[in-house]
Structures are given as C-alpha cells and as structure tokens.
Amino acid sequence: MNENPQVNGTSGSTGTSVVIGLVLGALVGAGVALLFAPGSGRETRKRLADTGRHLGGAALDKLDQARDTVEDLKQDAKSALEAGREAFENGQKSHEPRPESRTEPKGQRA
C-alpha cells in the first residue's frame, strides 16, 4: 500500500479534523472561562454570544483555508500523476524493440 498521505487522500481529512478539534476546544474553553468570570448573567450571556460569533467566524475561515489547501494538494497530486504517466509512456516508447533486420545469420531462422 502507499503510505504517502498526500497520495492516498488522508492528509486533508486529518488536517480538517485537527482544525475542527482546535476550534471546538477554543469554544468550550471560552465558554467555561466566561461562565466562571465575575459578572451579571446578562453580561455573561452577551459575552458568550459575542465570543461564539467571533470564534464561529474564525472557524469558518479556517475551514475554508483547509478546503483550499486540500484542493491545492489534490491538483498537485493530479499533475504529478499525469507527469509520471507521461514520463513512463515516453520511457516505454524509447525502449521499444527495433524491427529485426532482414539479413539473419544462417541457422537462426525459425
């Protein structure tokens, strides 16, 4: 099997999972910090909502960046695969056997 993550497609899903995990961790951490911070219920709810909107927007930006990176990697892999195919085909053409000459030594005919 091919263990190169960029070729078998596991790199993008792992990177996206890490980004999502970090964003969710940040949201939970911010929520817990705000809940234990001194302040009225109204102030805490407003701060939670503001932080949630801010982090949600940041998460969407990171997700878009991850998608772009995965798409770039996919295009790079396709280009590399096509270049490899062309190189292989050119190599095969340069190693094709030459047609045998019409003058064969005696005793070599079938």
Side-chain angles (χ1 to χ4, degrees):
M1 282 251 119
N2 191 347
E3 293 187 22
N4 186 346
Q6 291 181 349
V7 174
N8 65 20
T10 59
S11 176
S13 61
T14 302
T16 303
S17 298
V18 169
V19 169
I20 291 172
L22 289 173
V23 169
L24 288 176
L27 285 172
V28 170
V32 169
L34 287 174
L35 289 174
F36 286 106
S40 69
R42 178 174 289 178
E43 290 173 10
T44 302
R45 285 190 299 274
K46 182 181 180 317
R47 286 170 47 195
L48 276 172
D50 291 344
T51 302
R53 277 193 291 275
H54 173 71
L55 291 176
L60 290 176
D61 289 344
K62 292 294 181 186
L63 189 57
D64 286 341
Q65 288 176 356
R67 283 186 187 139
D68 291 344
T69 300
V70 168
E71 188 62 33
D72 290 345
L73 288 172
K74 189 168 120 181
Q75 290 300 324
D76 290 347
K78 284 182 181 180
S79 297
L81 182 62
E82 185 61 31
R85 272 195 192 121
E86 289 176 11
F88 178 77
E89 290 171 0
N90 290 337
Q92 289 291 341
K93 289 178 185 175
S94 68
H95 289 94
E96 288 179 357
R98 296 182 188 167
E100 293 183 27
S101 64
R102 296 192 182 260
T103 59
E104 295 177 5
K106 290 185 180 177
Q108 294 287 330
R109 291 192 176 176

